Amino acid sequence: METVSTVAELRQHVRAWKKAGARVGVVPTMGALHEGHLSLVQAARAQADRVIATVFVNPIQFDNADDLETYPRTLAEDGRLLAAAGVDLLYVPTVAQMYPPGFATRISVSGVSEGLCGGARPGHFDGVATVVCKLFMQTLAECAFFGEKDFQQVQVVRRMVADLDLPIEIISCPTLREADGLALSSRNRRLNAAQRQVAVALPRALAACADEIATGADVATALERVVQQVRAAGFGPVDYVELRHADSLQPLATCPPGTPARVLAAAWLGDVRLIDGMAVPTVAG
Ligand code: PAF
């Protein structure tokens, strides 16, 4: 696996691959890789002939300077994992390369980016959409792979691709979890041992909530119970717990049988913000 850091080098490889008729896939990441990222690489290898992984901690999607500073950076290990997973090319641009002096463009996707993480982190999804669009244009990939753990992010990217007619297919892949249910996340490595034990309360409460809603429980009561359960377990502030339509991300006050719906949440454990979400199981109506 070769590592490149400029668009010119990247395009040289991509041009040669495309000339040979290869379908190119990209897995955009911010590094600090875990099995969840590697499952995206696996999906990319199955659906594309050549796979590019990108590692770029994108400053414009962080609404908080401390979060940007403490975001785990493990490039050497990331490179080893990606090479072993069968990535063909690793693209690691610098901040100066992505945002040179004078850079003045933002992509802002309304609707699906509002509320949830978009409400709690102002400007976050403009930063995500802008960098993802740049990465698509730079890599000229035909397909791109994203994890469903960042459910709202996937919907924002899908909306942007549809609205801007970007010639790329978006493929989302299921959330990977630890044995106890905690969703894999780069942020988990910032949890201490005690926080790690508490963290499992979030997926447990969400799974119970999704089941309750599927069997007709009152939605507001079921969502409120998640807040109470995670707070009782030791979580700090809860940014949101909401039921949303799985495609439009419209808030749902009720969940008639057959509605594709997801319970989505974000909550703090110390200074680590965890997000998770679960599909409401479909019960025949
Ligand atoms: O999900 C992430 O790691 C990031 O938001 C992404 C898609 C790589 C954009 O910086």
Side-chain angles (χ1 to χ4, degrees):
M1 182 186 75
E2 201 176 319
T3 301
V4 296
S5 61
T6 65
V7 178
E9 294 166 294
L10 177 65
R11 290 256 179 90
Q12 215 176 357
H13 287 273
V14 174
R15 259 196 297 271
W17 292 340
K18 290 202 171 189
K19 212 164 154 196
R23 173 172 155 93
V24 178
V26 65
V27 180
T29 83
M30 297 206 299
L33 302 182
H34 50 66
E35 285 295 326
H37 296 108
L38 301 179
S39 76
L40 301 180
V41 171
Q42 229 172 43
R45 294 229 313 157
Q47 298 185 52
D49 305 305
R50 295 289 187 168
V51 177
I52 302 169
T54 72
V55 172
F56 179 64
V57 182
N58 175 33
I60 68 166
Q61 73 184 74
F62 286 80
D63 55 307
N64 174 320
D66 282 348
D67 193 22
L68 172 60
E69 203 171 306
T70 56
Y71 198 84
R73 289 163 171 86
T74 56
L75 187 57
E77 176 63 8
D78 292 343
R80 278 191 287 277
L81 291 170
L82 292 169
V87 165
D88 295 287
L89 187 65
L90 172 57
Y91 176 50
V92 187
T94 61
V95 173
Q97 157 110 19
M98 291 298 264
Y99 304 118
F103 185 88
T105 300
R106 281 286 190 286
I107 294 182
S108 187
V109 179
S110 56
V112 289
S113 71
E114 287 157 21
L116 305 173
C117 287
R121 303 181 67 190
H124 169 67
F125 285 118
D126 289 0
V128 169
T130 304
V131 81
V132 167
C133 187
K134 276 182 74 84
L135 292 168
F136 288 175
M137 295 296 105
Q138 292 176 337
T139 60
L140 302 173
E142 277 114 354
C143 48
F145 297 79
F146 293 86
E148 276 179 7
K149 191 190 125 277
D150 298 298
F151 198 78
Q152 191 177 14
Q153 170 171 279
V154 177
Q155 306 305 325
V156 169
V157 170
R158 284 192 190 285
R159 187 75 255 163
M160 171 184 74
V161 164
D163 289 355
L164 299 182
D165 305 303
L166 300 181
I168 190 162
E169 183 187 353
I170 303 304
I171 296 152
S172 62
C173 303
T175 305
L176 257 59
R177 296 181 180 277
E178 301 279 6
D180 66 0
L182 180 65
L184 297 193
S185 164
S186 304
R187 292 171 199 271
N188 293 354
R189 63 182 84 196
R190 292 185 48 222
L191 299 173
N192 64 31
Q195 290 170 330
R196 173 62 189 81
Q197 296 234 307
V198 171
V200 70
L202 182 61
R204 285 202 183 135
L206 287 175
C209 175
D211 284 346
E212 280 172 39
I213 290 173
T215 49
D218 175 65
V219 169
T221 312
L223 296 174
E224 181 51 34
R225 210 178 343 263
V226 174
V227 177
Q228 285 162 5
Q229 285 171 344
V230 300
R231 295 281 298 174
F235 269 84
V238 175
D239 278 351
Y240 60 82
V241 180
E242 289 193 39
L243 182 71
R244 296 280 183 127
H245 191 281
D247 302 323
S248 67
L249 285 189
Q250 283 296 311
L252 297 173
T254 60
C255 193
T259 312
R262 226 169 154 96
V263 187
L264 299 165
W268 292 83
L269 250 183
D271 63 352
V272 183
R273 183 175 182 274
L274 296 181
I275 67 171
D276 203 346
M278 305 253 172
V280 173
T282 10
V283 179

